[in-house]
Amino acid sequence: MITTLPAEWDAQSALMLTWPHPDTDWHDQLEAVEAVYVELVRALCRYQPALILCPDAAWQARVAGRLSEAGVPASRLIFAPVPSNDTWARDHGPIAVLQSPGPNAQGEPCLMDFRFNGWGGKFASELDDAITARLCEQGVFGDSPWQRSELVLEGGAIDSDGAGSLLLVRRTLIDPARNPGWSQDEIERELRLRLGIRHFLWLEQGQLSGDDTDGHIDTLARFVDRRTIAHVTCEDATDPDHGPIQAMIAELRALRDPDGQPYRLLPLPQPRPLFAADGQRLPAGYANFALINGALLLPVYQDPADAEATRLLQEAFPGRQVHAIDCRALVAQGGSLHCACMQLPAGLTLRAPQA
């Protein structure tokens, strides 16, 4: 059986979101963050369906009403009742692969359910860790098979080129708070088995201030195509992020693709620092974009650099429409747009669970 982890630019069946609710850290910021989710879903549903997780039927009805008022067609929405600790679907959602009996056969989706422990035990996670299993047991993914892995792996920690190469930061997997007792060889063996990875691109450096994930790759560097990597920058030598980011860029320059060739690099601008009410700097950046069928959803921050980031990514993805989403409210809890969603590949059957 050949296993492939699709690239995010490959065809999708839907995008999964876990809607904010009063039992999450958003309880005192719900109005602001829900406005971001509404705008995100409104842009998304022009291109493909949304799978939206809500804690119960009452909250689902409320969310459905808000989206209807925003003009989102109900036919594009699939709801599932699933309790959650938080809303970061990228990290607690399923990681879907395609499995085929041979190189020329069409791949069939299979859902990988890796463990999630709140980014190394920083936050409560028992409900989030159960989300993929609950969805599969409810029949939300039809008859597609699923597998449980004991490896702690957050979706934001990896980025795939769709051809067996994986970009990732070492400390977000080889971490005694996440995977005690797992060596790099053992982690690579598990990722080969579950995701079909053949070429590992490990980074040591890179970190945005205010990031709780210990340096998720989706905040730092992303494949644009199989030969190109977009990445954050920091030109101000007095900025505390300058050293780690410059060191990461040096590592990116040294990476080689499976043919031994260096990657083309696409530097993205840096927005001005954003701060939470308590003075904590927030991890705002443009690498946290999300790809959907025919479009790119870009987090923006009402910053002069927004326009340049939009221009660069529109040039990088000429066949897609860039939709800018104001994510200032979303980044207030330490994540941005890509962190809030998880793509599901084409070929996956999605069904609302039976009442």
Side-chain angles (χ1 to χ4, degrees), residues 216-266:
H216 269 186
I217 197 65
D218 72 345
T219 68
L220 298 170
R222 305 282 304 285
F223 281 113
V224 168
D225 56 44
R226 292 177 182 173
R227 292 292 320 284
T228 308
I229 298 172
H231 62 84
V232 299
T233 56
C234 181
E235 302 299 332
D236 180 359
T238 66
D239 190 314
D241 291 349
H242 180 263
I245 295 302
Q246 291 302 114
M248 179 198 71
I249 293 170
E251 288 185 300
L252 290 171
R253 289 177 178 143
L255 292 179
R256 295 295 180 266
D257 69 16
D259 297 323
Q261 298 301 308
Y263 287 95
R264 294 186 293 262
L265 299 184
L266 174 62

Coordinates of all heavy atoms in Angstrom, one line a residue, residues 216-266:
H216 N 5.9 26.1 15.8 CA 5.2 25.4 14.7 C 5.7 25.9 13.3 O 5.7 27.1 13.1 CB 3.7 25.5 14.8 CG 3.0 24.4 15.6 ND1 1.7 24.3 15.7 CD2 3.6 23.4 16.3 CE1 1.4 23.3 16.4 NE2 2.5 22.7 16.8
I217 N 5.9 25.0 12.4 CA 6.4 25.3 11.1 C 5.4 26.2 10.3 O 5.8 27.1 9.5 CB 6.7 24.1 10.3 CG1 7.6 24.4 9.0 CG2 5.4 23.3 9.8 CD1 8.9 24.9 9.4
D218 N 4.0 26.1 10.6 CA 3.1 26.9 9.9 C 3.1 28.3 10.3 O 2.4 29.2 9.7 CB 1.7 26.3 9.9 CG 1.0 26.4 11.3 OD1 1.6 26.7 12.3 OD2 -0.3 26.2 11.3
T219 N 3.8 28.7 11.3 CA 4.0 30.1 11.7 C 5.3 30.7 11.1 O 5.5 31.9 11.1 CB 4.1 30.3 13.2 OG1 5.3 29.7 13.7 CG2 2.9 29.7 13.9
L220 N 6.1 29.8 10.5 CA 7.5 30.2 10.1 C 7.7 30.0 8.6 O 8.2 30.9 7.9 CB 8.5 29.3 10.9 CG 8.4 29.5 12.4 CD1 9.3 28.4 13.0 CD2 8.9 30.9 12.8
A221 N 7.5 28.8 8.0 CA 7.9 28.5 6.7 C 6.9 27.5 6.1 O 6.5 26.5 6.7 CB 9.3 28.0 6.6
R222 N 6.5 27.7 4.8 CA 5.5 26.9 4.1 C 5.9 26.6 2.7 O 6.5 27.4 2.0 CB 4.2 27.6 4.1 CG 3.7 28.1 5.5 CD 3.1 27.0 6.3 NE 2.0 26.3 5.5 CZ 0.8 26.9 5.3 NH1 0.5 28.1 5.8 NH2 -0.1 26.2 4.6
F223 N 5.7 25.4 2.3 CA 5.8 25.1 0.9 C 4.8 25.9 0.0 O 3.7 26.0 0.4 CB 5.6 23.6 0.6 CG 6.7 22.7 0.9 CD1 6.6 21.8 2.0 CD2 7.9 22.7 0.2 CE1 7.6 20.9 2.3 CE2 8.9 21.9 0.5 CZ 8.8 21.0 1.6
V224 N 5.3 26.5 -1.1 CA 4.5 27.1 -2.1 C 4.3 26.2 -3.3 O 3.3 26.2 -3.9 CB 5.2 28.5 -2.5 CG1 4.5 29.0 -3.7 CG2 5.1 29.5 -1.3
D225 N 5.4 25.5 -3.6 CA 5.3 24.4 -4.5 C 6.4 23.4 -4.1 O 7.1 23.6 -3.1 CB 5.4 24.9 -6.0 CG 6.7 25.7 -6.2 OD1 7.8 25.3 -5.8 OD2 6.6 26.7 -6.9
R226 N 6.7 22.4 -4.9 CA 7.7 21.4 -4.5 C 9.1 21.9 -4.5 O 10.0 21.3 -4.0 CB 7.5 20.2 -5.4 CG 6.2 19.4 -5.1 CD 6.1 18.2 -6.1 NE 4.8 17.6 -5.8 CZ 4.3 16.6 -6.5 NH1 4.9 16.1 -7.5 NH2 3.1 16.1 -6.2
R227 N 9.3 23.1 -5.1 CA 10.7 23.7 -5.2 C 10.8 25.0 -4.4 O 11.9 25.5 -4.3 CB 11.0 23.9 -6.6 CG 11.3 22.7 -7.5 CD 12.5 21.9 -7.1 NE 13.6 22.8 -6.7 CZ 14.4 23.4 -7.6 NH1 14.1 23.3 -8.9 NH2 15.4 24.2 -7.2
T228 N 9.7 25.5 -3.8 CA 9.7 26.8 -3.3 C 9.2 26.8 -1.8 O 8.1 26.2 -1.6 CB 8.9 27.8 -4.1 OG1 9.3 27.7 -5.5 CG2 9.0 29.2 -3.6
I229 N 9.8 27.6 -0.9 CA 9.4 27.7 0.4 C 9.2 29.2 0.8 O 10.2 30.0 0.6 CB 10.4 27.0 1.4 CG1 10.5 25.5 1.1 CG2 10.0 27.3 2.9 CD1 11.6 24.9 1.9
A230 N 8.1 29.6 1.2 CA 7.8 31.0 1.7 C 8.2 31.0 3.2 O 7.9 30.0 3.9 CB 6.4 31.4 1.5
H231 N 8.7 32.1 3.7 CA 9.1 32.1 5.1 C 9.0 33.6 5.6 O 9.0 34.5 4.9 CB 10.5 31.7 5.3 CG 11.6 32.5 4.6 ND1 12.1 33.6 5.1 CD2 12.2 32.3 3.3 CE1 13.0 34.2 4.3 NE2 13.0 33.4 3.2
V232 N 8.8 33.6 7.0 CA 8.8 34.9 7.6 C 10.2 35.5 7.7 O 11.2 34.9 7.5 CB 8.2 34.8 9.1 CG1 6.8 34.2 9.1 CG2 9.1 33.9 9.9
T233 N 10.2 36.8 7.9 CA 11.4 37.6 8.0 C 11.4 38.5 9.2 O 10.3 38.8 9.8 CB 11.7 38.4 6.7 OG1 10.6 39.3 6.5 CG2 11.9 37.5 5.5
C234 N 12.6 39.0 9.6 CA 12.7 40.0 10.7 C 13.9 40.8 10.4 O 15.0 40.3 10.7 CB 12.7 39.3 12.0 SG 12.8 40.5 13.4
E235 N 13.8 42.0 9.9 CA 15.0 42.8 9.5 C 15.5 43.7 10.6 O 16.6 44.1 10.6 CB 14.6 43.6 8.3 CG 14.1 42.9 7.1 CD 15.1 41.9 6.6 OE1 16.3 42.2 6.7 OE2 14.7 40.9 6.0
D236 N 14.7 43.9 11.6 CA 15.1 44.8 12.7 C 16.0 44.1 13.7 O 15.6 43.2 14.4 CB 13.8 45.3 13.4 CG 14.1 46.3 14.6 OD1 15.3 46.6 14.8 OD2 13.2 46.8 15.2
A237 N 17.3 44.5 13.7 CA 18.2 43.8 14.6 C 17.9 43.9 16.1 O 18.4 43.2 16.9 CB 19.6 44.3 14.3
T238 N 17.1 44.9 16.5 CA 16.7 45.1 17.9 C 15.5 44.3 18.3 O 15.2 44.2 19.5 CB 16.4 46.6 18.2 OG1 15.3 47.0 17.5 CG2 17.6 47.5 17.7
D239 N 14.9 43.6 17.3 CA 13.7 42.8 17.6 C 14.2 41.5 18.2 O 15.1 40.8 17.7 CB 12.9 42.6 16.3 CG 11.6 41.9 16.5 OD1 11.5 40.9 17.3 OD2 10.6 42.4 15.9
P240 N 13.6 41.0 19.3 CA 14.0 39.7 19.9 C 13.8 38.5 18.9 O 14.4 37.5 19.1 CB 13.1 39.6 21.1 CG 12.0 40.6 20.9 CD 12.5 41.7 20.1
D241 N 13.0 38.7 17.9 CA 12.8 37.6 17.0 C 13.9 37.6 15.9 O 13.9 36.6 15.1 CB 11.4 37.7 16.3 CG 10.2 37.4 17.2 OD1 10.5 36.9 18.4 OD2 9.1 37.7 16.9
H242 N 14.7 38.6 15.8 CA 15.6 38.7 14.7 C 16.6 37.6 14.7 O 16.8 36.9 13.6 CB 16.4 40.1 14.8 CG 17.4 40.3 13.7 ND1 18.7 40.0 13.9 CD2 17.2 40.8 12.5 CE1 19.4 40.3 12.8 NE2 18.5 40.8 11.9
G243 N 17.2 37.3 15.8 CA 18.2 36.2 15.8 C 17.7 34.9 15.4 O 18.2 34.2 14.5
P244 N 16.6 34.4 16.0 CA 16.0 33.1 15.7 C 15.6 33.0 14.2 O 15.8 32.0 13.6 CB 14.9 32.9 16.6 CG 15.2 33.8 17.8 CD 16.0 34.9 17.3
I245 N 15.0 34.1 13.7 CA 14.5 34.1 12.3 C 15.7 34.1 11.3 O 15.6 33.3 10.3 CB 13.6 35.3 12.1 CG1 12.3 35.1 12.9 CG2 13.2 35.3 10.6 CD1 11.5 33.9 12.7
Q246 N 16.7 34.9 11.6 CA 17.8 34.9 10.7 C 18.5 33.5 10.7 O 19.0 33.0 9.6 CB 18.8 36.0 11.1 CG 18.3 37.4 10.9 CD 18.0 37.7 9.5 OE1 16.8 37.9 9.1 NE2 19.0 37.6 8.6
A247 N 18.6 32.9 11.9 CA 19.2 31.5 11.9 C 18.4 30.5 11.1 O 18.9 29.6 10.5 CB 19.3 31.1 13.4
M248 N 17.0 30.7 11.2 CA 16.2 29.8 10.5 C 16.3 30.0 9.0 O 16.4 29.0 8.2 CB 14.7 30.0 10.8 CG 13.7 29.1 10.1 SD 12.0 29.8 10.1 CE 12.2 31.2 9.0
I249 N 16.4 31.2 8.5 CA 16.6 31.5 7.1 C 17.9 30.8 6.6 O 18.0 30.3 5.5 CB 16.6 33.0 6.8 CG1 15.2 33.5 7.1 CG2 17.0 33.3 5.4 CD1 15.1 35.1 7.1
A250 N 19.0 30.9 7.4 CA 20.2 30.2 7.0 C 20.0 28.7 6.9 O 20.6 28.1 5.9 CB 21.3 30.5 8.1
E251 N 19.2 28.1 7.8 CA 18.9 26.7 7.6 C 18.1 26.4 6.4 O 18.4 25.4 5.7 CB 18.1 26.2 8.9 CG 18.9 26.2 10.1 CD 18.1 25.6 11.3 OE1 17.0 26.1 11.6 OE2 18.5 24.5 11.8
L252 N 17.1 27.3 6.1 CA 16.4 27.1 4.9 C 17.2 27.1 3.6 O 17.1 26.3 2.7 CB 15.3 28.1 4.8 CG 14.1 28.0 5.8 CD1 13.2 29.2 5.7 CD2 13.3 26.7 5.5
R253 N 18.2 28.0 3.6 CA 19.1 28.1 2.5 C 19.9 26.8 2.3 O 20.4 26.5 1.2 CB 20.0 29.3 2.6 CG 19.3 30.7 2.4 CD 20.2 31.8 2.7 NE 19.6 33.1 2.5 CZ 19.8 34.2 3.2 NH1 20.7 34.2 4.2 NH2 19.1 35.3 2.9
A254 N 20.2 26.2 3.4 CA 21.0 25.0 3.3 C 20.2 23.7 3.0 O 20.9 22.7 2.7 CB 21.7 24.8 4.7
L255 N 18.9 23.7 3.1 CA 18.1 22.6 2.8 C 18.2 22.2 1.3 O 18.4 23.0 0.4 CB 16.6 22.8 3.1 CG 16.2 23.0 4.5 CD1 14.7 23.3 4.6 CD2 16.6 21.8 5.4
R256 N 18.1 20.9 1.0 CA 18.1 20.4 -0.3 C 16.9 19.5 -0.6 O 16.5 18.8 0.3 CB 19.4 19.6 -0.6 CG 20.7 20.4 -0.5 CD 20.7 21.4 -1.6 NE 21.9 22.3 -1.6 CZ 22.0 23.4 -1.0 NH1 21.0 23.9 -0.3 NH2 23.2 24.1 -1.1
D257 N 16.4 19.6 -1.8 CA 15.2 18.7 -2.1 C 15.7 17.3 -2.4 O 16.9 17.0 -2.3 CB 14.5 19.3 -3.3 CG 15.2 19.3 -4.6 OD1 16.2 18.5 -4.7 OD2 14.8 20.0 -5.5
P258 N 14.8 16.4 -2.7 CA 15.2 15.0 -2.9 C 16.2 14.8 -4.0 O 16.9 13.8 -4.1 CB 13.9 14.2 -3.2 CG 12.9 15.0 -2.5 CD 13.3 16.5 -2.6
D259 N 16.3 15.7 -5.0 CA 17.3 15.7 -6.1 C 18.6 16.4 -5.7 O 19.4 16.5 -6.6 CB 16.6 16.3 -7.3 CG 15.4 15.5 -7.8 OD1 15.4 14.3 -7.7 OD2 14.5 16.2 -8.3
G260 N 18.7 16.9 -4.5 CA 19.9 17.5 -4.1 C 20.0 19.0 -4.5 O 21.1 19.6 -4.3
Q261 N 18.9 19.6 -4.9 CA 18.9 21.0 -5.3 C 18.4 21.9 -4.2 O 17.5 21.5 -3.4 CB 18.0 21.2 -6.5 CG 18.4 20.4 -7.7 CD 19.8 20.7 -8.2 OE1 20.1 21.9 -8.4 NE2 20.7 19.8 -8.3
P262 N 18.9 23.1 -4.1 CA 18.4 24.0 -3.1 C 17.0 24.5 -3.4 O 16.6 24.5 -4.6 CB 19.4 25.2 -3.1 CG 20.0 25.1 -4.5 CD 20.0 23.7 -4.9
Y263 N 16.3 24.9 -2.4 CA 14.9 25.4 -2.6 C 15.0 26.9 -2.9 O 15.9 27.6 -2.5 CB 14.1 25.2 -1.3 CG 13.7 23.8 -1.1 CD1 14.4 22.9 -0.3 CD2 12.5 23.2 -1.7 CE1 14.1 21.6 0.0 CE2 12.2 21.9 -1.5 CZ 12.9 21.1 -0.6 OH 12.6 19.8 -0.4
R264 N 14.1 27.3 -3.8 CA 13.8 28.7 -3.9 C 13.2 29.2 -2.7 O 12.2 28.6 -2.2 CB 13.0 29.0 -5.2 CG 13.6 28.6 -6.5 CD 12.7 29.1 -7.7 NE 11.5 28.3 -7.7 CZ 11.3 27.3 -8.5 NH1 12.2 26.8 -9.3 NH2 10.1 26.6 -8.4
L265 N 13.5 30.4 -2.2 CA 13.0 31.0 -1.0 C 12.2 32.2 -1.3 O 12.6 33.1 -2.2 CB 14.0 31.3 0.0 CG 14.9 30.1 0.5 CD1 15.8 30.5 1.6 CD2 14.0 28.9 1.0
L266 N 11.0 32.4 -0.7 CA 10.2 33.5 -0.9 C 10.0 34.3 0.5 O 9.2 33.8 1.3 CB 8.8 33.1 -1.4 CG 7.7 34.2 -1.5 CD1 8.2 35.3 -2.5 CD2 6.4 33.6 -1.9

